[in-house]
Amino acid sequence: MIVETEPLYDSFALYGSGVTLVSVRDADQHRFFIAGSVLTASVAPFTLAVSVGEDRDALPAIRRGEPWALTVLGEHHAPLVRALTSRSTMRSERLAALADAGAEASAEGPLWLPDGLVTFWCRVRDAVPVNDQVLLTGDVGRGSLPGDSTPLLRWKHAFRGARDLEQRGDA
């Protein structure tokens, strides 16, 4: 059976993914976005791949070779993710939400969350346009020590803790 676009969007929502904060320092501004489509592209050398909307304001700095950080978020970051992904939130409110969540500038420049599950600092290897997205690969230069939290997931168009899904029987 072939389905149209709208049901496909709902079908893809059943493909659960982790939730990450990607950030880069661009001159005197922090740029950032929430990403769910992240995978290990290589282990030798360790390389990550992330799907980025072509209109993200962080993308030009990443493409220029600025270091970027990818923090894997825990379920306690759900309020932050909602604030960062709300269309009605202003940039200043997003920056305040990051500050309230404990985001810090790293030695490389990008913001990271020390209480995240783990953070990887990368430099772009390649950026390949794919329709309205850019498939970005980055060589990992270093990573943080793993945190002790339960992952935040994007599933069925919502952000949910893995523990919540287990308790509801959705896992």
Side-chain angles (χ1 to χ4, degrees):
M1 173 204 287
I2 296 176
V3 294
E4 299 302 316
T5 303
E6 199 59 37
L8 279 177
Y9 185 73
D10 291 337
S11 295
F12 277 109
L14 297 175
Y15 178 74
S17 66
V19 181
T20 62
L21 170 69
V22 177
S23 65
V24 64
R25 181 88 175 157
D26 184 14
D28 63 341
Q29 290 196 359
H30 291 287
R31 309 251 184 226
F32 48 87
F33 57 91
I34 296 297
S37 300
V38 177
L39 62 96
T40 304
S42 169
V43 293
F46 193 40
T47 305
L48 295 176
V50 60
S51 180
V52 181
E54 66 184 0
D55 61 345
R56 297 287 182 196
D57 67 354
L59 193 54
I62 292 172
R63 283 181 142 163
R64 281 196 311 273
E66 296 296 330
W68 47 283
L70 185 145
T71 301
V72 180
L73 302 177
E75 64 184 3
H76 62 284
H77 293 116
L80 170 64
V81 171
R82 288 184 188 103
L84 296 181
T85 58
S86 171
R87 293 187 188 273
S88 63
T89 308
M90 304 295 291
R91 177 173 169 72
S92 60
E93 293 170 314
R94 291 182 177 127
L95 284 167
L98 278 165
D100 290 346
E104 299 176 1
S106 63
E108 294 85 350
L111 293 173
W112 73 298
L113 291 161
D115 66 344
L117 293 172
V118 67
T119 298
F120 300 104
W121 284 268
C122 305
R123 289 216 184 244
V124 70
R125 170 176 279 271
D126 203 3
V128 178
V130 181
N131 299 321
D132 65 344
Q133 300 285 304
V134 173
L135 184 59
L136 181 69
T137 57
D139 291 329
V140 177
R142 75 177 178 104
S144 68
L145 293 174
D148 186 26
S149 180
T150 304
L152 181 64
L153 304 173
R154 175 129 169 95
W155 191 64
K156 289 189 174 181
H157 305 295
F159 300 106
R160 305 164 191 264
R163 212 177 350 226
D164 177 51
L165 293 175
E166 281 181 343
Q167 290 170 351
R168 292 180 29 191
D170 287 336

